[in-house]
Amino acid sequence: MQSRSDAASDSLKLLLIYAAEENRVDENVHMIDATFSAFTTEQRVVSVQEFQPELLTGTDAVVLVGDAKMDLPAPLIKALDGYKGDMIAFGYNADQLRTFKGWDYRGEVELRSLDGHSLTKSISAVQVIPPQGSEIIVSGNSLNETIPFIIKNGRLSYIAATSFATDEKMQISKAMYPILGIDPPDVHPAYLRLEDISPVSDHQLVKETGDYLADRGIPFYMAVIPVYVNNETGEQMRLSANRKLVDVLRHLQDRGGIIIAHGYTHSYRYEETGEGFEFWDDQLNQKITTERTDKLPAPLPSRESFRSQDEFDSFMNEVDLIEKRYIERKHRKAIEDLVDLGLIPLAFEAPHYTMSSTGYGITSDYFTSIFGQVQLSDDNWGVMDAPLFISTPQILSGMTLYPETIGYADPTMADPLQGARESVKQLKEIPGSVVGGFYHPYLGLEYLPEMLELIYSVGPIEWLDLRTEEQIVKTDDILIHQQENGGLKVQSERNYWNRLVERSKEHPLEGALWLMAVVVALFLTAFFIYIASLRVGLKKRLFRERESIG
């Protein structure tokens, strides 16, 4: 299994140039970047203002993303008009290029369907009449006419919108192969996670679900949370306290189960583990700004609250340092707690998939792979999505993303697998798309066989196995190196003393009790040594007295 789309070219190099409001990479640009990154070996992302002509050197294709209408800089227009490689344009602004001369741009229309599929929500698209002989890959429909949506004409391709809602994402993903001239693969990468395994999980149900998958030769993933937080009392329970569960996880690890670090507590401000967030302040809908959990901090001020950009940047740098210390501590403790128990994490999954872009950068120092979806906004955790392919989006700072694409079994619904069923139906039409989902072990085997049947129904699949790919997970004291040949090296400089000192720092009262116990033990030892020395001295004196009398 390759780390990205099996269809990816061995040498394709792309330059993605975007035009967006306030020069910011928004969710549409993020998703286009993520999707294309699945098919390339090298991809650079720059704004139209950052573009330099030398960036075109060695580039096989240019992706021009017009997420906002604007006048393109003259140097950019000149460079692109002289560019001879492939060009893929999205949305607005392509009509400013002489390269697209002969394409008739007629303004915006509202599309209500794509490729014969009704849209959940109508989208705005640019109506373009391409030159004769162009290939219309996907068409859309407005109220009374058919509109070309994805078009290819020789080295030029055009997508009439930048929106990446579900329906558009499916069509654009499917069109990647003809656009890039890549043969579609025959199989779908697939994986299944056993989700939210924490110190209070039922070890028998975890074993039952894990063994079911292992018995069928399926490499599976176990998203493990090392510490459970009681949301009523704030008390913590460590995984080491549930020895039966630890034994089950080791057993399943030996049978092909792969550990994913699913945060440290999966909670923030004493929210219940598994329900709460951890790397995002969900109450204020903002990045982590304090490690204190006893009171709500102030909301992050807007740029307008500061007298200058420099003043605002200085403030945000301080916030970023707080977030950095918090996330680093959580990652370090999660990895160390797991390794101390003989559980070897090979990847990371953010609780509720939420984390800021700076958080992803910090996380990339600890993990090379991440599972799930990606938060695409630093202002709203609800703006999240994932491409349909294994990819390396720029926002993840080099981490490989294994996307969750089919959801999970939801027992609160009349049909618990309805969402997965609908997703699988769509994924069947997209070659090479990942079939990735998760399952909660507390459900036992009630829905697991049917969920597997759904995954297999997509067509030929290849189960994702991180044990056959290079992975690096590390802290200052631990290095985990999973090699492509299956070899695994784990180096740890931690010992019992390290763990005792660390635990004492986390729990001062417990540390004080241990210190008192040590002092008492030393005192008792000294006392017994003193008594023993007195007895020895007394025996010697009595012996000498007997000798002198005798």
Side-chain angles (χ1 to χ4, degrees), residues 343-356:
L343 303 172
I344 312 303
L346 296 185
F348 171 71
E349 179 198 347
H352 294 307
Y353 305 146
T354 55
M355 180 175 275
S356 73

Side-chain angles (χ1 to χ4, degrees), residues 442-503:
Y442 69 79
L443 296 173
L445 299 182
E446 188 171 359
Y447 308 108
L448 187 54
E450 188 177 358
M451 192 164 189
L452 282 181
E453 286 179 14
L454 272 176
I455 292 174
Y456 280 117
S457 73
V458 173
I461 64 169
E462 184 178 358
W463 288 107
L464 173 70
D465 189 347
L466 288 195
R467 296 169 303 173
T468 63
E469 298 183 7
E470 185 169 26
Q471 305 291 334
I472 299 290
V473 176
K474 63 182 179 180
T475 68
D476 289 340
D477 297 324
I478 290 175
L479 174 62
I480 300 168
H481 183 195
Q482 176 64 62
Q483 299 168 314
E484 289 185 28
N485 62 9
L488 176 65
K489 294 182 179 180
V490 181
Q491 298 174 339
S492 176
E493 297 180 7
R494 289 170 58 74
N495 53 43
Y496 179 77
W497 178 250
N498 298 140
R499 296 195 289 271
L500 183 60
V501 170
E502 205 168 82
R503 188 164 176 80

Side-chain angles (χ1 to χ4, degrees), residues 180-200:
L180 294 175
I182 295 175
D183 292 332
D186 297 325
V187 299
H188 294 264
Y191 76 82
L192 189 61
R193 295 193 318 267
L194 298 182
E195 191 77 344
D196 289 342
I197 300 173
S198 80
V200 297

